[in-house]
Amino acid sequence: LAQLVEQASHVQRLCPRRSRPGFNSRPGNRFLRVTPPLSHPVSCHLLHESVAMFLFRCCPPDVVVFPHCVEEVSALAKVCHNHHLPIIPFGTGTGLEGGVGALKGGVCFSLRNMDQVLDLHQEDFDVTVEPGVTRKALNAYLRETGLWFPVDPGADASLCGMAATSASGTNAVRYGTMRENVLNLEVVLADGTIIHTAGKGRRPRKTSAGYNLTNLFVGSEGTLGIITKSTLRLYGIPEAMVSAVCSFPSVQAAVDSTVQVLQAGVPIARIEFLDEVMIDACNRFSSLSYPVTPTLFLEFHGSERSVEEQVNLTEDITQSNGGSDFQWARDAETRNSLWKARHDAWYAALALRPGCKAYSTDVCVPLSRLPQIIVETKEDLMENRLTGPIAGHVGDGNFHCLMVVDPSDPEEQHRVHLFTERLARRALAMDGTCTGEHGVGLGKRALLCEEVGHTAINVMQGLKDALDPKNLMNPGKVLQPREP
C-alpha cells in the first residue's frame, strides 16, 4: 500500500484539465484514501447493497481511489497491475448481486468524480458520458433538447455501471436494454491499456466491422476492464405519454393480454405486472386504492393520434381477457406518481415486515411460460412460509421476487437461499435465464454454468485470461474460481 501511495502521488500531472490537491493519503485528499475497514463511505456503501446485507459477507477494499480522468484511471491501473493488486470498479453501488464486494481486498476505483457529459450530438441522437453521470443527471441535462435516454432500471444508477451490468428496466419492451443502446465504450484494461471498442470517437448507428467488442464489455460486470466513457443512443421525447392501470382476475389473464398486445403490434412503452401481494403493498405504502388482484401498469408513447389508437386497441384486448376498465394517469404529475409507486415497490415490500431486510432476485422466461412460472413460484413461496411479492417487466418475460427476510433468522435466510436457487432452475427448465437484468455477480455463478454449459464457460474464461491474465479485475465475480 505504501508503494501505491508513493506511485500515485505522481499521477496528478496526467489530468491537466482539472485541478486537484496532491495525491497522497493525507487528510482531506480527494484522490487516494487508505482507510481502515468499513470506515470510508464507499466501503460502508457495500454494507447497504441488499445482497451483502445477509446473503454475502461484506468485503471492503483496502484502498479507495478517486480518479478524475481516464489518464489517472490508466496510471493507477498500471500501478495495481505491477503490484498484483485487485481492482474493483465502483459507480453508484446500486447493484443487486454483490458485484462491488472486494473479495480479495485491493483497490476500489470510485468513479464518481468523472461526472461530465462530454459530447452531445442532437442531430445524431447520441451522447458520450463519463462513469459518474447517472441516468437522472443525463436526462436533466437533456431536458431542453427534446431528447432523452429511456433505459430506466429504477435506481439512479451510473450509466457506465448500467452498461457494465447490461441493465434494463421498465422501458425495455419499447426501447431495449443497455446492450441495444450503447454505441461505443472507452475501457481501461487491467494493465492500464486504453481501448475504444468501436474505434476512438466513432458513433455509427450500426456497424458490421470486426468483432463486437462493445457488447463484450456490456454485461462484463467489471471483470474485463473499467468503463470510463459510454456513447449512448438518445431518443426524441414523445409528443404524448399516457399511463393506465388495469386489474385482472388471474395471472393468466394479465399475461395473455400482454402477449396479445405485443402480437397486435402495439408499440407499448411499458407494461408492468404486479401480483396481488405486491399491489396490496403498493396501495398501503403509496396511499393508492387499486383492487388487490393481479395488475398491469401500462404506458403509451407517441403522437396524440397514435396514442389514442394504441389505447383503444389495448383496452379492447384487456377487456376481452376479463380486465377492468383502465384507470388513467394522463397528466405528467399523476403519471409520475404512478411510476414512482411502481419504483417504490422495494420500499413497499419492506414495509410489509418492519425491521426486516430485502433481497431482489430476477429471472426471465419466454412469454408463453410466464403464467406457469409465476404460479409455481407463488406456490413455492406459500409452502416455504416466505414473503416475496412479485413485480415484473412482463413484456420481456422478466420478473422479480422481492424477498423480505429477517436478518437475525439464519434458518429463514437459508430457506430464501434455497428458494432463489429453485426459482432460477425453474426458469432454466423453461428455456429461460437465471437473470434477466441484475447480472451474475457472486450469487449466480454456478447457475451461469448450468445455463450456458461448460464449453461456453471455458470460452468466457479464455476471454478473461486474454484480457486480464493476472485475474485482477473484480476477481471472483461472474466466473467461479478455477480449481487448482
Side-chain angles (χ1 to χ4, degrees):
L1 297 183
Q3 290 175 318
L4 175 64
V5 172
E6 180 181 354
Q7 294 190 33
S9 67
H10 300 293
V11 173
Q12 58 182 329
R13 68 181 184 276
L14 296 174
C15 193
R17 65 187 176 89
R18 295 174 185 171
S19 60
R20 304 160 312 284
F23 299 151
N24 52 52
S25 59
R26 293 191 297 271
N29 185 297
R30 289 169 48 212
F31 177 75
L32 173 68
R33 301 184 187 178
V34 182
T35 64
L38 302 182
S39 65
H40 191 272
V42 171
S43 300
C44 293
H45 199 127
L46 301 178
L47 282 174
H48 297 292
E49 274 201 315
S50 61
V51 175
M53 277 292 190
F54 54 89
L55 292 184
F56 303 128
R57 182 173 60 88
C58 177
C59 301
D62 300 306
V63 175
V64 181
V65 295
F66 297 83
H68 290 73
C69 62
V70 65
E71 293 86 0
E72 291 177 357
V73 174
S74 174
L76 287 166
K78 290 175 182 177
V79 173
C80 293
H81 190 261
N82 291 338
H83 294 282
H84 299 270
L85 296 172
I87 297 170
I88 303 92
F90 185 95
T92 54
T94 56
L96 293 170
E97 290 294 343
V100 297
L103 303 183
K104 298 183 179 181
V107 182
C108 173
F109 282 55
S110 176
L111 304 169
R112 69 188 187 189
N113 290 330
M114 298 174 64
D115 59 357
Q116 302 298 305
V117 178
L118 297 174
D119 295 298
L120 171 62
H121 301 95
Q122 292 179 236
E123 67 281 6
D124 296 325
F125 295 86
D126 64 62
V127 67
T128 299
V129 298
E130 289 186 325
V133 179
T134 67
R135 66 173 186 86
K136 287 184 179 179
L138 175 60
N139 281 326
Y141 180 91
L142 296 171
R143 186 171 294 132
E144 302 302 320
T145 69
L147 302 174
W148 72 314
F149 184 71
V151 180
D152 176 7
D156 188 23
S158 67
L159 291 159
C160 289
M162 288 166 60
T165 56
S166 192
S168 53
T170 57
N171 284 315
V173 66
R174 170 77 174 265
Y175 299 100
T177 70
M178 288 300 290
R179 198 171 293 280
E180 291 80 44
N181 286 285
V182 176
L183 300 174
N184 199 352
L185 295 171
E186 178 184 79
V187 181
V188 176
L189 302 181
D191 64 357
T193 301
I194 302 171
I195 69 167
H196 298 85
T197 57
K200 188 171 183 178
R202 303 199 182 279
R203 47 191 179 86
R205 302 290 286 184
K206 64 178 183 179
T207 177
S208 58
Y211 298 138
N212 191 342
L213 295 182
T214 301
N215 272 347
L216 174 63
F217 286 92
V218 173
S220 61
E221 302 185 38
T223 63
L224 300 180
I226 304 169
I227 299 175
T228 51
K229 289 188 185 73
S230 293
T231 300
L232 307 169
R233 293 177 183 267
L234 299 177
Y235 297 80
I237 296 176
E239 175 189 344
M241 295 185 183
V242 174
S243 297
V245 177
C246 184
S247 303
F248 292 86
S250 67
V251 172
Q252 184 75 54
V255 177
D256 284 348
S257 295
T258 301
V259 173
Q260 291 165 24
V261 166
L262 297 176
Q263 287 175 336
V266 177
I268 197 160
R270 307 193 210 193
I271 184 163
E272 295 287 297
F273 172 81
L274 290 80
D275 75 350
E276 68 278 6
V277 181
M278 189 74 261
I279 195 67
D280 186 38
C282 287
N283 279 344
R284 297 182 188 187
F285 185 80
S286 300
S287 300
L288 304 174
S289 57
Y290 297 122
V292 182
T293 62
T295 300
L296 291 180
F297 285 13
L298 310 101
E299 188 162 275
F300 307 89
H301 294 175
S303 66
E304 294 285 355
R305 182 173 178 179
S306 70
V307 164
E308 183 180 356
E309 292 173 350
Q310 293 175 45
V311 167
N312 290 338
L313 179 53
T314 301
E315 195 163 25
D316 287 344
I317 291 171
T318 57
Q319 290 184 353
S320 71
N321 287 292
S324 66
D325 291 338
F326 282 2
Q327 298 186 52
W328 296 103
R330 296 182 183 274
D331 61 277
E333 182 179 353
T334 308
R335 194 175 67 250
N336 290 337
S337 176
L338 170 67
W339 290 108
K340 185 178 187 301
R342 166 62 183 88
H343 286 316
D344 283 348
W346 173 273
Y347 305 104
L350 275 174
L352 293 174
R353 295 180 65 186
C356 289
K357 303 298 181 184
Y359 167 52
S360 176
T361 187
D362 84 308
V363 296
C364 187
V365 296
L367 277 178
S368 62
R369 308 303 295 273
L370 196 59
Q372 179 184 353
I373 193 171
I374 290 179
V375 169
E376 291 181 6
T377 298
K378 290 175 70 65
E379 291 173 351
D380 195 347
L381 290 166
M382 295 277 290
E383 290 172 4
N384 289 279
R385 309 183 316 283
L386 295 172
T387 303
I390 292 174
H393 317 308
V394 68
D396 303 319
N398 179 208
F399 73 94
H400 310 264
C401 281
L402 280 63
M403 307 305 300
V404 187
V405 190
D406 183 351
S408 65
D409 186 345
E411 191 273 335
E412 184 180 11
Q413 294 174 34
H414 181 64
R415 281 187 281 124
V416 167
H417 175 71
L418 294 179
F419 165 80
T420 58
E421 290 200 340
R422 285 194 303 273
L423 173 60
R425 292 192 171 99
R426 192 177 296 126
L428 295 180
M430 296 182 185
D431 303 326
T433 176
C434 65
T435 175
E437 58 185 17
H438 289 181
V440 174
L442 284 173
K444 295 186 174 180
R445 295 175 297 177
L447 292 163
L448 174 66
C449 187
E450 292 179 31
E451 179 171 330
V452 303
H454 288 286
T455 302
I457 289 291
N458 289 337
V459 172
M460 293 183 193
Q461 187 66 61
L463 292 168
K464 168 76 168 170
D465 292 343
L467 294 170
D468 180 21
K470 294 184 179 181
N471 191 29
L472 300 180
M473 292 302 312
N474 210 7
K477 314 298 169 49
V478 183
L479 298 174
Q480 290 184 307
R482 285 179 290 191
E483 297 181 1

